Amino acid sequence: MYDFVVVGVGPAGARFARRAAETGYDVLALEKGTIGTPLACSGHVSTDIWNYVPEAAKPELFQNRIYGANFHTGGPHSDPHLFYKTDEISNVIDRVGLDRTLADCARNAGADVREGHTVTDIDERADRVVLTVSVAGESGTQTVEARMVAGCDGPISRVRNSVGLPEPAETLHGVLAFTDEPDDGDHVDVHLTAPRFFAWRIPRGAAGVEYGLAAPPGTEVTELFEQLTDSYGVETDTFCSGAIPIGPPETVTTDRVFLIGDAAAQTKPFTGGGILYSMTAADCAARHIQPDRPDSLDIYESAWRQALSSEIRLGHLIRRAYSLPEPVQRAGLTALSGEIGVHMDKPSSFFSKAHLKRLFS
Ligand SMILES: Cc1cc2nc3c(=O)[nH]c(=O)nc-3n(C[C@H](O)[C@H](O)[C@H](O)COP(=O)(O)OP(=O)(O)OC[C@H]3O[C@@H](n4cnc5c(N)ncnc54)[C@H](O)[C@@H]3O)c2cc1C
């Protein structure tokens, strides 16, 4: 019997598997496909990302440095409102490469990471969890047992569903695609043209340019995406699509099963970004959860909420501005744009006394 079986090897699963294996636990991590694929992410992250990967991986993963964002209430020809910092705010990275690097870190720490293994059923019992696993290229299924299971299987989580944990309050539909002309531009463009969210353009250095948007389900996302690329006069390829859960849910734990990352809706409500929040929560889980102590799951619940819930709450507040009437948005952007002193993953830095004083002075 394993101490932990981790379902899904994205950033949440790989990080938890690594940390739990480093602590000395027996860890099996199962990924249904090939790690990192299919891509459904911009890989636009704060520079904190470099605390989670080996120094040697940075040159391979790094694509571009971002110092600011041009906000528009309309398309590319509407007035830009630049928010910027003199230090870099964020980096654009190779997301597929990131997942592979994080999985290698887990393997090097001693976790048994297997691709082509889909968890199809989870039976939580008093003293263990029994998982049914289907292996690519093999007929029939395998059974695996664990003291505890980490559900790191993304926004449409089978683990969450199987054990009856609550769904995220909201799930957005995100799409993105690329053009291949190199662009070393140092800012992203944000268009407040999608209902309750936004569309974007991200320069990815030699890797080209990304166009994307997210919006609530029911919105004609593909149509809005075509309007975006038409307004830029570009033809994109490699269209990607994915779900963005917005939380937080009331609970992410049962007696022997816990969720991390998108499965637990641990994302930023105002950007949909979840890479760093999922790894922050994975570290909380690895620090506090003991596989033979179901009561340690309560400590994980408190720890990740302490680390992230005020940021998520303030992130919801920022997101409300996306739904304001356009003239109000324009006035607000005009008043607030300029140099900012915020951390991309910490809305609390936007609402800090020092920053508000600077904005309104
Ligand atoms: C369009 C879009 C753009 C985004 N851009 C950004 C961004 O720029 N920055 C940012 O920080 N975040 C971004 N995100 C969010 C980010 O992708 C997620 O928050 C992040 O991937 C969460 O990591 P995770 O490990 O929880 O889940 P995932 O990365 O989704 O990993 C889950 C893994 O579980 C596997 N899996 C699923 N079911 C099973 C099963 N039954 N058995 C075995 N394996 C299974 C999947 O194959 C997958 O590999 C974006 C999301 C979208 C949709």
Side-chain angles (χ1 to χ4, degrees):
M1 172 145 57
Y2 291 92
D3 289 318
F4 293 108
V5 169
V6 180
V7 184
V9 188
R15 180 70 185 179
F16 176 76
R18 171 186 175 174
R19 281 293 186 219
E22 282 170 351
T23 307
Y25 292 123
D26 271 345
V27 181
L28 172 66
L30 303 174
E31 166 54 46
K32 71 176 176 186
T34 304
I35 287 164
T37 63
L39 175 71
C41 177
S42 307
H44 179 216
V45 282
S46 72
T47 52
D48 291 1
I49 193 69
W50 305 119
N51 300 330
Y52 293 85
V53 294
E55 189 61 33
K58 187 171 174 178
E60 283 288 304
L61 299 179
F62 175 83
Q63 291 180 338
N64 199 14
R65 232 174 276 284
I66 301 295
Y67 287 80
N70 251 332
F71 278 77
H72 308 254
T73 54
H77 305 297
S78 63
D79 285 346
H81 302 271
L82 182 63
F83 291 72
Y84 69 94
K85 254 173 125 170
T86 44
D87 302 328
E88 61 188 322
I89 295 179
S90 53
N91 287 171
V92 184
I93 61 164
D94 168 5
R95 169 64 205 265
V96 175
L98 174 73
D99 283 22
R100 291 184 181 152
T101 302
L102 295 170
D104 285 344
C105 291
R107 284 192 182 102
N108 293 339
D112 179 354
V113 179
R114 299 185 198 169
E115 295 175 89
H117 284 60
T118 305
V119 173
T120 56
D121 192 41
I122 292 145
D123 179 11
E124 186 177 2
R125 301 182 186 168
D127 61 342
R128 68 190 66 198
V129 187
V130 181
L131 299 101
T132 307
V133 183
S134 155
V135 184
E138 290 180 15
S139 58
T141 54
Q142 297 178 0
T143 299
V144 176
E145 292 189 343
R147 290 189 172 80
M148 285 201 185
V149 166
C152 305
D153 50 344
I156 317 292
S157 164
R158 188 189 291 258
V159 175
R160 183 176 70 216
N161 209 10
S162 303
V163 299
L165 283 168
E167 298 283 310
E170 186 185 5
T171 302
L172 303 174
H173 179 191
V175 293
L176 50 87
F178 306 91
T179 56
D180 55 14
E181 79 279 10
D183 189 337
D184 292 322
D186 62 5
H187 66 267
V188 298
D189 285 280
V190 175
H191 300 278
L192 302 177
T193 48
R196 289 165 43 208
F197 216 71
F198 57 83
W200 62 83
R201 178 190 187 275
I202 301 178
R204 309 192 67 95
V209 177
E210 177 190 313
Y211 298 84
L213 72 85
T219 314
E220 294 299 333
V221 165
T222 316
E223 212 169 278
L224 282 173
F225 184 74
E226 275 166 17
Q227 283 169 18
L228 175 75
T229 50
D230 285 353
S231 61
Y232 272 103
V234 293
E235 291 276 340
T236 53
D237 60 18
T238 331
F239 188 80
C240 311
S241 167
I244 299 176
I246 305 288
E250 260 169 41
T251 174
V252 301
T253 56
T254 63
D255 285 343
R256 293 193 171 272
V257 176
F258 55 98
L259 307 177
I260 314 176
D262 273 15
Q266 289 158 337
T267 58
K268 290 183 276 182
F270 66 112
T271 67
I275 295 174
L276 280 151
Y277 280 17
S278 67
M279 290 200 283
T280 303
D283 284 355
C284 293
R287 199 173 307 125
H288 297 293
I289 298 175
Q290 299 173 35
D292 50 359
R293 297 265 320 264
D295 56 341
S296 63
L297 292 180
D298 291 344
I299 309 175
Y300 164 59
E301 280 275 15
S302 315
W304 82 260
R305 284 175 203 279
Q306 198 169 359
L308 297 176
S309 67
S310 336
E311 301 298 348
I312 293 176
R313 193 165 36 79
L314 292 170
H316 276 287
L317 206 62
I318 293 180
R319 186 177 164 213
R320 281 204 208 157
Y322 304 161
S323 303
L324 292 171
E326 193 183 327
V328 181
Q329 285 179 338
R330 224 177 304 122
L333 290 172
T334 306
L336 299 177
S337 58
E339 191 174 353
I340 48 169
V342 299
H343 185 293
M344 178 179 172
D345 297 326
K346 296 182 182 141
S348 56
S349 60
F350 183 87
F351 293 99
S352 71
K353 240 186 198 167
H355 187 244
L356 289 176
K357 202 169 152 196
R358 189 145 123 219
L359 278 181
F360 292 109
S361 64

